[in-house]
Amino acid sequence: GAGVSQSPSNKVTEKGKDVELRCDPISGHTALYWYRQSLGQGLEFLIYFQGNSAPDKSGLPSDRFSAERTGGSVSTLTIQRTQQEDSAVYLCASSSGDTQYFGPGTRLTVL
Amino acid sequence: AQSVSQHNHHVILSEAASLELGCNYSYGGTVNLFWYVQYPGQHLQLLLKYFSGDPLVKGIKGFEAEFIKSKFSFNLRKPSVQWSDTAEYFCAVNGPGGGNKLTFGTGTQLKVEL
């Protein structure tokens, strides 16, 4: 079946611009996660949505980062006023239980 | 906060050699443990997982891992590696200390030479 999909696959932006990254989870999965993979920091948790509950935002590195999940399905991660240190691969995962399935990621480059 | 340590950052092996990658976690309560693999140019894939029961778990492609609670360890093993096992391997944990979110180790880059 279809896995987790993310778009765009690559995004190059200028410092100070806003970006939106999209995640389409596996159909029927109630939980959705965002992680960031960067050199020197490894894989870091950002935010977690579970059904209609309030999201766990404990991993967001600053208030420039936000995410929403509409209709319990698609999610958008927004980074405002991007900085060079935001350059990373942003990964989305979804699950219906304890196992998370990852998408291919969006590689963000901030010039 | 939960933390995960992977002791080997880069490992180079010849084909048919045995593999063991170390993983230790910090939280002492009930946890779920995972090994994920990322092949070159591909996304993270689940290799195996441990939730409860038999502490020796078997995954895909001949990999296995052993959960040793007293050592807070979940080491990954394979008796005989292949060139196609060249990839980055990540140990991860979730559990009551961190909820459902995964805490990852820094990863081990494995290169298998012919």
Side-chain angles (χ1 to χ4, degrees), chain A residues 44-104:
Chain A
E44 306 171 277
F45 165 78
L46 296 177
I47 187 169
Y48 157 50
F49 297 89
Q50 173 64 62
N52 296 320
S53 302
D56 176 352
K57 304 179 181 180
S58 60
L60 294 179
S62 78
D63 59 7
R64 296 185 296 104
F65 288 72
S66 63
E68 63 177 20
R69 189 179 185 191
T70 54
S73 180
V74 171
S75 177
T76 302
L77 177 69
T78 301
I79 309 173
Q80 295 179 310
R81 304 180 304 280
T82 52
Q83 303 294 311
Q84 288 182 330
E85 61 263 28
D86 299 335
S87 294
V89 177
Y90 289 81
L91 297 173
C92 177
S94 71
S95 75
S96 61
D98 289 311
T99 301
Q100 296 177 30
Y101 297 89
F102 284 80

Side-chain angles (χ1 to χ4, degrees), chain A residues 33 35 37 42-45 48 50 56 58-59 91 97-105, chain B residues 32 34 36 38 42-46 49 51 88 90 94 98 100-106:
Chain A
Y33 306 77
Y35 295 86
Q37 187 175 21
L43 273 153
E44 306 171 277
F45 165 78
Y48 157 50
Q50 173 64 62
D56 176 352
S58 60
L91 297 173
D98 289 311
T99 301
Q100 296 177 30
Y101 297 89
F102 284 80
Chain B
N32 299 321
F34 306 81
Y36 281 86
Q38 190 168 29
Q42 296 188 28
H43 60 277
L44 275 169
Q45 302 171 37
L46 181 67
K49 60 188 178 184
F51 292 164
E88 191 160 16
F90 294 91
N94 68 10
N100 288 327
K101 61 190 179 189
L102 288 171
T103 300
F104 285 89
T106 51

